[in-house]
Amino acid sequence: MGVAEEIGIGMGQSGEQGRPHRFLQLLKGSGGEVGLASAPSSLSLEEQCDGCPTAHPGQDRWASVQEERHSRASPTAGGGGLLHRYIIGKKGETKKRLETETRTSISIPKPGVEGEIVITGQQRGAVISARTRIDVLLDSFRKKQPFTHFLSLALNQPVIQEKFLQFKEEVLEKCSQDHGVSSSLFQNPAKLHLTLGTLVLLNEQEIQRACDLLQQCKEDFVDQITGGKPLSVEVTGVEYMNDDPAMMDVLYAKVHMKDGSDKLQMIADQLVERFVASGLMLREWDRVKLHATVMNTLFRKDPSGAEERSNTVTGKSSFKERESFNGRNILKLFENFSFGEAQLDAVLLSQRYSSDASGYYGTAGRLLLH
């Protein structure tokens, strides 16, 4: 659910007291035009109305202006009830406390009903304060949810899969005696991918927002970087995530542009910047770490190949215990192993815990690189 703010801006003075305000909605279009409407609209962050505008022609002097802010979270069949209870609180205590402390009235849609949170107050500062505090609640709720989608680049081309299976076979042949090394650690070859960032998308509206944002990014900067051509990359060498190679949790293959450019890194970083700014993605790194996971201790219990969000975001793994493995010999023997070359032609909005006909993750949306 998005957050709307209704602000009395005093368009006329009158001796009448207690007359209820009538709220009209100010909408700002992509071209910057301003108009009135009676239904909510999806506005980008850049299109938010930040100030109190002047009265629209024909607007009643008693009308207040409703400024709509883009959705940060919405009730859904799967998670809406939890979100609703999170904002309302036990016996409505959270909502009551917010209203009392900010001197506002907060209207929240019933569970399972799509709609905006509407905050009404006499003072602009009070409304903004309430909105900010609700934003914090929504962000806190989102951070506690397991991610539902992620931006990915598929690396499951036949030649990559073949080389990966060779890598797996040789590791098990040469390093199976090392602590923790077993076949259960390896990625599903059909799901080999680069992860750019993870998202918590709580309903169809947020999924559509993510799809729309991908297309906007294509127009704004991706086409300019790629020149309308797929990205040619090589997958060579392995590295690990944590500090001690004898206690590894994740081993990944390194991915580089064949021409030595930083096009892939630029696209990854700018996409993440846009998605973080939209509120749909949580920042995990200052810079996207381009990596294709080939071994992960989480795969022991989650063979689907869907990586957990980084501990830097959630503060803890969803699995209480991870049995690390000794990867010293793997690093020594496969430091420069070549997994082959690939043409990357799309950034995908991939759905966690899903598979398509090829065995890769189900795709909710895509940004074509060509």
Side-chain angles (χ1 to χ4, degrees):
M1 63 187 77
V3 179
E5 54 183 58
E6 297 186 347
I7 305 169
I9 63 173
M11 293 182 180
Q13 300 297 324
S14 171
E16 298 175 83
Q17 299 294 327
R19 183 174 176 181
H21 287 296
R22 185 168 75 248
F23 294 101
L24 298 177
Q25 186 171 41
L26 181 78
L27 304 181
K28 186 176 181 182
S30 59
E33 70 277 12
V34 176
L36 293 173
S38 58
S41 166
S42 292
L43 305 181
S44 70
L45 290 180
E46 293 78 7
E47 292 173 325
Q48 288 177 29
C49 301
D50 294 324
C52 283
T54 56
H56 185 275
Q59 183 175 352
D60 187 286
R61 68 175 183 172
W62 285 100
S64 292
V65 175
Q66 175 173 307
E67 295 177 316
E68 180 174 308
R69 193 167 182 277
H70 203 96
S71 172
R72 298 295 299 277
S74 303
T76 62
L82 287 172
L83 176 59
H84 186 270
R85 291 197 295 272
Y86 199 78
I87 300 173
I88 297 290
K90 186 177 180 181
K91 297 182 179 180
E93 291 176 358
T94 302
K95 176 175 175 288
K96 290 176 184 176
R97 183 174 68 253
L98 282 173
E99 290 176 320
T100 299
E101 293 178 356
T102 61
R103 296 184 179 181
T104 59
S105 174
I106 302 172
S107 175
I108 300 176
K110 294 180 180 179
V113 177
E114 292 288 347
E116 303 292 319
I117 296 176
V118 179
I119 305 167
T120 307
Q122 295 298 317
Q123 301 295 324
R124 175 180 173 81
V127 174
I128 292 175
S129 175
R131 187 189 72 180
T132 299
R133 290 178 62 171
I134 290 177
D135 276 346
V136 171
L137 283 175
L138 296 179
D139 282 342
S140 176
F141 175 83
R142 192 182 294 277
K143 287 177 182 178
K144 293 179 180 179
Q145 306 311 301
F147 74 88
T148 60
H149 296 74
F150 56 100
L151 295 183
S152 75
L153 290 147
L155 283 173
N156 62 346
Q157 295 82 350
V159 64
I160 302 290
Q161 289 197 48
E162 183 179 344
K163 294 289 286 185
F164 169 78
L165 290 173
Q166 178 188 333
F167 168 78
K168 177 180 178 180
E169 181 180 344
E170 292 185 14
V171 168
L172 292 175
E173 178 184 329
K174 299 175 182 179
C175 307
S176 61
Q177 299 304 311
D178 295 340
H179 175 76
V181 174
S182 70
S183 61
S184 64
L185 293 174
F186 291 84
Q187 173 68 284
N188 177 345
K191 283 182 159 58
L192 286 166
H193 66 278
L194 286 173
T195 299
L196 303 186
T198 59
L199 304 96
V200 177
L201 303 179
L202 298 172
N203 64 3
E204 290 299 324
Q205 182 185 14
E206 290 195 345
I207 293 173
Q208 186 58 52
R209 279 184 57 207
C211 292
D212 292 344
L213 184 54
L214 276 178
Q215 297 313 308
Q216 189 62 51
C217 290
K218 175 178 173 64
E219 297 174 11
D220 289 350
F221 61 85
V222 173
D223 283 347
Q224 183 178 356
I225 295 173
T226 65
K229 299 178 181 179
L231 300 178
S232 297
V233 300
E234 52 186 8
V235 186
T236 304
V238 292
E239 281 195 14
Y240 60 104
M241 286 284 189
N242 51 312
D243 296 329
D244 186 356
M247 296 289 289
M248 283 189 195
D249 284 319
V250 177
L251 184 77
Y252 63 91
K254 295 182 285 185
V255 182
H256 308 280
M257 288 289 298
K258 280 189 65 178
D259 63 7
S261 72
D262 60 352
K263 290 180 181 179
L264 179 57
Q265 187 70 57
M266 288 172 62
I267 290 172
D269 288 340
Q270 291 186 46
L271 279 173
V272 168
E273 285 294 329
R274 287 291 187 92
F275 273 81
V276 169
S278 76
L280 293 174
M281 181 181 288
L282 298 170
R283 184 179 299 281
E284 300 186 46
W285 314 95
D286 291 335
R287 191 167 185 255
V288 176
K289 192 175 185 67
L290 296 174
H291 69 282
T293 298
V294 292
M295 299 174 70
N296 190 332
T297 54
L298 290 178
F299 293 162
R300 297 187 200 274
K301 297 182 179 181
D302 179 14
S304 68
E307 299 176 38
E308 291 298 313
R309 192 187 304 164
S310 167
N311 290 359
T312 59
V313 174
T314 60
K316 60 181 180 180
S317 168
S318 61
F319 295 126
K320 293 183 178 180
E321 296 180 3
R322 298 177 67 164
E323 182 191 350
S324 299
F325 64 95
N326 186 343
R328 284 175 173 169
N329 286 329
I330 298 175
L331 282 177
K332 186 184 303 181
L333 296 171
F334 301 93
E335 181 181 6
N336 298 310
F337 186 89
S338 175
F339 293 89
E341 301 176 358
Q343 296 282 313
L344 305 182
D345 59 7
V347 176
L348 305 174
L349 178 61
S350 299
Q351 184 175 342
R352 193 180 183 194
Y353 299 131
S354 68
S355 297
D356 61 15
S358 73
Y360 194 68
Y361 301 95
T363 300
R366 68 182 67 232
L367 183 168
L368 295 178
L369 298 177
H370 56 83

